[in-house]
Amino acid sequence: MSTNLLTLKDAENMTNKQALDLFCEHINPSLGKMMNMLGFTSKRPIMAEGTSIYFDDGSEVLDFTAQFGIMNVGHNHPRILKARDEWAKRKELEIWKFFPSPYQAALAKNIASIFPDDLDVVFFCNSGAEANEGALKMASKVAGPERDIIVHTDISFHGKTHATLSVSGSESKQNKHFKPLPGCVSVPFGDAEALEMIFLENKPKLRKTRVSTFIVEAIRAEGVHTSPDGYLEKVRELCDKYSVTLILDEVFTGFGRTGKMFAFNHSGITPDIVSFSKTFGGGKATFGGYVARTKLFKKAYGSMDDATLHSTTYNGYGEEIVSAIEVINILHDEDLIKNSERQGKYLLSQLEKLKEKHSIIKEVKGVGLLACIRFENSAAKMAKYVPGSTSNILVSKLTTGGIISQLFEQYNILTYTPPHDFDLLFLTPPLTITQTQIDTLIESLDSVLKINITKTSQKFVKRYLEK
Ligand code: PLP
């Protein structure tokens, strides 16, 4: 075994350049290059609190990403830190595999109480993909092996495990190397008639449709796609009529992101299973889960023989659980869902004003603090600035890449573009964001958009061409 092992101290003392080199060598060189192109490697984050990340050059950066929507309650919330600290000090049993954990029980009870009707039985796991995987599996178990079709929407992302990728329309358009599992059928998002057609096309005479499951996001997070009025209600009606399990993926939209506790709360329906993750661990734990209707759970896993048909080693360890209990209580005690709704409306109104001023903005959208700006697709115009490049993906990133790097390097604002739509600037700040901080973003964006876009992207291209 090598004696050159790095210690925690070594990691703490590493320079930014050393960290980037090791990241590129041992983790992901292309991702490392992208971070560099966006200017994110020019300084090192040393602390994060609330809506801000503090860097080693003394700068304070406003986080308008919430780290891909994880930090709804803000970075390092003091209540979560305290709960974890006290938990560790008590040296409680971390893993309750053989005893009923009162902490898990309390968390599950809280989840049951924030969901309507009989959405009362909870499964804990580590990630969004795992939550969806478990939900899909439960729906298949309920329907039986003959009903082997899962319907999903054309714009969707549910994770990157084999099953969840197979039902992720947005991802499979990009990921041509991947062969989806059989029986996964796509319908247009927001089109209830197309959904019923699929149910009927796969319905042998006098028997149930072969479709077991419909999985969908109530609001498609990337791009803030909302469905026509009454869509979810119609979907609920169809799923009831054809005995299809309705799974709503709230991994991104859950826990107040859209100005309601869950995005489906904008409608009046009760889904059969809801998956969640991201904010659930409070930004301190990798945590996810699903909640299912009691009758569905009983049908799938209710008997002693089936009790452990679905399980995982890592589900609901002590520090994850105490973090999640605090997250739900903080959202409630600090009235963060109301703030998401209020500040979301303000953000959208300011983005609309910005759109009037800048023709490069094609569209702005927002529901709560899930917002985005669509820029004019300037890929064709920009291609000539990337000599010898055959990479369409890179060229399509130039507009947003240039804007993101300018916002970060000149104005200390962190933003991002979603992985499946590079013409978008995605804005998903912590739900603790204030009006003044939104004003800072708008003023900065206004300044960046005044500069000619080819100039904004120059640095981005230059870094791409560097070895
Ligand atoms: N579902 C949605 C809507 C998501 O946005 C994501 C991740 O961004 C996932 C599922 C997958 O979650 P994870 O990356 O934790 O597996």
Side-chain angles (χ1 to χ4, degrees):
M1 189 172 145
S2 162
T3 51
N4 294 329
L5 293 177
L6 297 176
T7 63
L8 266 179
K9 259 272 149 305
D10 294 330
E12 245 173 78
N13 294 331
M14 213 177 267
T15 65
N16 235 7
K17 169 86 177 75
Q18 285 168 328
L20 178 63
D21 288 349
L22 288 180
F23 184 95
C24 289
E25 191 178 345
H26 298 292
I27 301 177
N28 189 329
S30 304
L31 205 54
K33 182 154 185 152
M34 188 52 78
M35 290 174 184
N36 191 43
M37 284 163 69
L38 289 165
F40 293 165
T41 56
S42 56
K43 50 190 179 184
R44 174 186 164 148
I46 48 172
M47 213 259 271
E49 202 166 42
T51 45
S52 295
I53 306 173
Y54 299 85
F55 284 77
D56 57 357
D57 64 349
S59 58
E60 177 185 347
V61 170
L62 268 182
D63 183 1
F64 268 85
T65 72
Q67 307 299 304
F68 267 89
I70 297 169
M71 301 291 179
N72 283 14
V73 298
H75 290 267
N76 285 312
H77 195 288
R79 270 178 70 174
I80 299 178
L81 294 186
K82 183 161 176 275
R84 293 168 69 92
D85 199 36
E86 285 172 359
W87 172 269
K89 279 201 193 112
R90 289 200 301 273
K91 290 194 189 169
E92 285 216 35
L93 182 65
E94 185 70 28
I95 303 152
W96 295 60
K97 283 286 177 200
F98 305 99
F99 319 100
S101 155
Y103 303 98
Q104 277 196 4
L107 179 58
K109 173 79 181 75
N110 286 349
I111 290 169
S113 67
I114 60 174
F115 281 97
D117 300 339
D118 62 338
L119 277 165
D120 282 340
V121 186
V122 186
F123 173 73
F124 296 121
C125 57
N126 303 276
S127 66
E130 215 187 321
N132 283 325
E133 186 86 30
L136 291 169
K137 197 173 143 192
M138 179 189 267
S140 292
K141 171 81 168 59
V142 167
E146 289 187 359
R147 299 181 60 200
D148 51 1
I149 295 174
I150 299 171
V151 183
H152 62 90
T153 59
D154 55 348
I155 46 163
S156 54
F157 179 64
H158 301 296
K160 293 196 181 180
T161 60
H162 202 158
T164 56
L165 250 184
S166 303
V167 294
S168 292
S170 307
E171 182 71 19
S172 50
K173 269 179 227 138
Q174 259 179 26
N175 192 343
K176 301 279 184 223
H177 313 283
F178 168 77
K179 192 166 181 301
L181 290 173
C184 297
V185 177
S186 172
V187 289
F189 178 81
D191 188 343
E193 268 177 37
L195 184 67
E196 184 163 25
M197 284 295 287
I198 302 284
F199 290 175
L200 285 172
E201 275 167 20
N202 292 285
K203 189 178 175 320
K205 258 193 190 152
L206 303 177
R207 306 241 319 267
K208 283 185 175 166
T209 174
R210 275 179 57 210
V211 177
S212 67
T213 315
F214 178 47
I215 182 166
V216 65
E217 285 172 86
I219 295 174
R220 166 76 184 118
E222 274 183 43
V224 197
H225 296 279
T226 49
S227 50
D229 278 352
Y231 170 68
L232 277 185
E233 288 78 358
K234 184 73 193 160
V235 164
R236 177 69 277 176
E237 198 186 304
L238 292 174
C239 287
D240 284 342
K241 183 171 166 194
Y242 294 93
S243 304
V244 170
T245 298
L246 173 59
I247 301 174
L248 284 192
D249 177 342
E250 294 271 359
V251 170
F252 206 121
T253 47
F255 301 109
R257 172 59 51 201
T258 69
K260 298 270 185 206
M261 183 55 114
F262 294 97
F264 79 83
N265 296 139
H266 290 279
S267 75
I269 68 149
T270 302
D272 296 313
I273 310 179
V274 183
S275 56
F276 45 83
S277 187
K278 291 199 187 275
T279 287
F280 191 45
K284 298 304 277 185
T286 52
F287 206 16
Y290 66 70
V291 63
R293 301 186 91 146
T294 307
K295 59 176 181 290
L296 210 69
F297 173 82
K298 283 196 176 143
K299 215 167 161 191
Y301 304 128
S303 79
M304 283 295 261
D305 283 351
D306 293 344
T308 53
L309 264 189
H310 191 66
S311 66
T312 169
T313 302
Y314 299 104
N315 71 341
Y317 282 13
E319 287 189 14
E320 293 167 352
I321 295 282
V322 296
S323 305
I325 290 177
E326 283 303 82
V327 165
I328 296 175
N329 277 284
I330 291 166
L331 286 169
H332 177 261
D333 296 348
E334 295 184 10
D335 217 4
L336 291 184
I337 296 167
K338 195 88 220 125
N339 198 52
S340 170
E341 188 194 359
R342 193 181 310 122
Q343 300 302 347
K345 279 191 182 139
Y346 181 70
L347 173 61
L348 185 61
S349 69
Q350 298 308 299
L351 291 176
E352 274 160 357
K353 284 187 192 156
L354 211 57
K355 181 173 176 287
E356 299 295 302
K357 285 175 75 176
H358 299 280
S359 60
I360 189 173
I361 299 183
K362 248 170 92 174
E363 185 183 31
V364 296
K365 281 188 185 176
V367 183
L369 286 168
L370 182 76
C372 68
I373 305 175
R374 181 173 297 284
F375 293 111
E376 201 59 58
N377 187 331
S378 44
K381 264 191 268 167
M382 306 290 270
K384 59 177 182 275
Y385 295 98
V386 191
S389 169
T390 50
S391 164
N392 287 332
I393 285 196
L394 176 80
V395 173
S396 67
K397 280 179 182 165
L398 283 180
T399 306
T400 37
I403 292 166
I404 291 167
S405 62
Q406 284 285 314
L407 280 173
F408 183 71
E409 292 179 287
Q410 305 295 326
Y411 297 95
N412 287 326
I413 292 181
L414 185 64
T415 54
Y416 64 139
T417 184
H420 305 106
D421 198 343
F422 303 129
D423 294 330
L424 288 185
L425 188 75
F426 209 15
L427 300 167
T428 59
L431 309 188
T432 52
I433 201 86
T434 63
Q435 189 166 318
T436 314
Q437 290 170 327
I438 291 174
D439 288 339
T440 306
L441 166 81
I442 298 293
E443 282 157 27
S444 309
L445 205 45
D446 189 27
S447 307
V448 169
L449 296 179
K450 277 182 190 147
I451 311 167
N452 185 314
I453 202 67
T454 52
K455 209 164 158 204
T456 314
S457 306
Q458 265 169 16
K459 252 196 198 162
F460 191 69
V461 176
K462 200 166 148 256
R463 291 189 188 124
Y464 168 74
L465 295 172
E466 280 166 8
K467 279 278 162 281

